[in-house]
């Protein structure tokens, strides 16, 4: 990696870590996400009961010391199911955004660097995907491939690919004209080497921000697909599916929908808080605004 790119990446990392430490909201979001990861990884061991442990004698019991989140219509412990479902949401969010990041960044790099007909073809394809509402396109893909965790993950990855492609292309268009990129071209460096070692490190900041924000929307999309019966299939627990199952018990068993909904809310809020903090630090336009405000005061 070039010295300029290395300094840029290190400076961005230091600013990001500093923002998370000194911003109370971002720090709170980071703590919530850390707890979510722990629950997602160890939920099966931490859960007080089995997720499919049916007991009709204790069905629809309200929250208590023995069942802090109550029980559902089959007598299953809601807390255990919410904890285990965290793994599903994290898995779908991370894998789907990983797919979108890998494919979108690759397409955006080639489109922005080579321009011409390749740029036109790739970006027009992205525009077609981008024209569809996210959830509608995801539902259409799952309907074609069949419901399930894998197809829901792939569908969410596909619908978020155009966002990463656009963000990457915009960054490449500005970086490719920089002096250090021209210098690398002049000494005969290959295109792939230039993109990997000079272009990509210098557009990492907006990609990091977009990744953190997309994780929140991917989890929301997974919950929506599961609510519609197109995501995780019973008896496996999923926050969206638990909301669907609890919709018929709103008046007599409010806890069935409240706790899965609260889990979705807190997770998405935590990702958004961290994403906003990263955007304030890593986005050059935000930095310019912040510096102007400090100068004015």
């Amino acid at each position: 990696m070039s010295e300029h790119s290395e300094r840029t990446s290190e400076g961005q990392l230091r600013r990001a870590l500093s923002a998370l430490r000194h911003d109370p909201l971002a720090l709170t979001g980071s703590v919530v996400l850390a707890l979510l990861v722990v629950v997602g990884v160890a939920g099966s061991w931490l859960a007080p009961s089995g997720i499919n442990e049916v007991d009709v004698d204790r069905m629809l019991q309200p929250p208590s010391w023995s069942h802090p989140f109550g029980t559902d219509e089959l007598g299953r412990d809601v807390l255990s199911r919410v904890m285990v479902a965290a793994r599903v949401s994290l898995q779908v969010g991370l894998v789907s955004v990983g797919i979108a990041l890998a494919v979108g960044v690759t397409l955006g790099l080639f489109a922005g660097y080579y321009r011409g007909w390749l740029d036109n073809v790739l970006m027009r394809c992205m525009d077609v995907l981008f024209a569809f509402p996210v959830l509608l396109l995801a539902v259409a893909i799952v309907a074609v491939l069949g419901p399930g965790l894998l197809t829901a993950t792939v569908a969410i990855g596909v619908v978020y690919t155009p966002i990463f492609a656009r963000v990457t292309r915009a960054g490449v268009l500005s970086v490719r004209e920089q002096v250090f990129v021209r210098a690398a071209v002049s000494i005969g460096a290959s295109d792939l080497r230039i993109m990997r070692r000079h272009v990509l490190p210098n557009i990492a900041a907006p990609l990091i921000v977009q990744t953190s924000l997309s994780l929140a929307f991917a989890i929301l999309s997974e919950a929506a697909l599961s609510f519609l019966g197109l995501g995780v299939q019973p008896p496996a627990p999923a926050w969206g599916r638990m909301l669907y199952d609890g919709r018929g018990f709103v008046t007599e068993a409010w806890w069935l929908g409240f706790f899965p909904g609260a889990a979705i809310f807190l997770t998405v809020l935590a990702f958004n808080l961290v994403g906003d903090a990263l955007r304030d630090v890593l986005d050059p336009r935000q930095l310019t605004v912040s510096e102007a405000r400090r100068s004015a005061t």
Side-chain angles (χ1 to χ4, degrees):
M1 184 182 294
S2 67
E3 184 179 354
H4 177 274
S5 300
E6 186 175 353
R7 289 199 306 268
T8 301
S9 301
E10 291 178 355
Q12 292 171 348
L13 179 60
R14 286 196 298 268
R15 292 199 304 270
L17 293 177
S18 177
L20 295 179
R21 287 198 307 269
H22 295 92
D23 188 336
L25 292 178
L27 184 59
T28 302
S30 301
V31 171
V32 171
L33 292 180
L35 292 175
L36 178 66
V37 170
V38 172
V39 172
V41 172
S44 300
W45 294 276
L46 297 176
S49 304
I51 58 174
N52 292 315
E53 191 175 304
V54 177
D55 186 354
V56 294
D57 292 333
R58 63 181 187 185
M59 64 180 189
L60 297 180
Q61 290 184 356
S64 61
W65 287 110
S66 57
H67 301 286
F69 286 6
T71 60
D72 64 8
E73 70 279 9
L74 297 177
R76 297 173 297 187
D77 184 60
V78 175
L79 173 60
S80 300
R81 293 178 63 81
V82 168
M83 292 175 65
V84 175
R87 174 183 295 181
V88 174
S89 295
L90 283 178
Q91 179 181 343
V92 173
L94 291 174
V95 175
S96 62
V97 172
I99 293 172
L101 180 65
V103 177
V105 168
T106 301
L107 296 179
L109 271 174
F110 281 95
Y113 189 82
Y114 289 110
R115 300 296 304 276
W117 67 268
L118 182 62
D119 182 24
N120 289 329
V121 171
L122 292 178
M123 287 301 103
R124 295 302 76 77
C125 292
M126 294 299 101
D127 288 342
V128 171
L129 292 177
F130 204 74
F132 288 93
V134 171
L135 185 58
L136 179 60
L137 181 57
V139 169
I141 295 174
V142 174
V144 172
L145 299 179
L149 180 62
L150 177 61
T151 53
T153 303
V154 173
I156 296 172
V158 170
V159 299
Y160 284 106
T161 294
I163 299 176
F164 285 96
R166 284 188 168 191
V167 171
T168 302
R169 176 181 177 272
V172 173
L173 290 178
S174 60
V175 172
R176 71 191 296 270
E177 303 299 330
Q178 298 295 322
V179 175
F180 58 89
V181 174
R182 294 183 178 181
V185 173
S186 66
I187 62 176
S190 66
D191 292 341
L192 290 178
R193 181 181 178 86
I194 293 173
M195 285 188 283
R196 185 180 71 253
R197 304 196 59 164
H198 300 283
V199 176
L200 191 57
N202 286 280
I203 63 172
L207 292 176
I208 293 173
V209 175
Q210 186 59 54
T211 298
S212 63
L213 297 176
S214 294
L215 284 169
F217 291 109
I219 290 175
L220 275 178
S221 298
E222 183 277 326
L225 290 176
S226 295
F227 184 87
L228 296 174
L230 299 175
V232 178
Q233 299 299 300
W239 290 338
R241 183 68 191 187
M242 294 176 71
L243 280 175
Y244 176 83
D245 293 337
R247 81 194 193 287
F249 302 92
V250 175
T251 57
E252 55 187 279
W254 57 267
W255 55 89
L256 295 185
F258 175 81
F259 290 110
I264 297 172
F265 169 77
L266 290 176
T267 302
V268 173
L269 179 61
F271 273 116
N272 284 333
L273 290 176
V274 174
D276 287 341
L278 292 175
R279 181 178 56 190
D280 292 340
V281 175
L282 299 179
D283 191 339
R285 292 169 297 182
Q286 297 291 335
L287 286 175
T288 302
V289 173
S290 300
E291 291 173 357
R293 289 177 177 173
R294 286 197 298 268
S295 300
T297 57

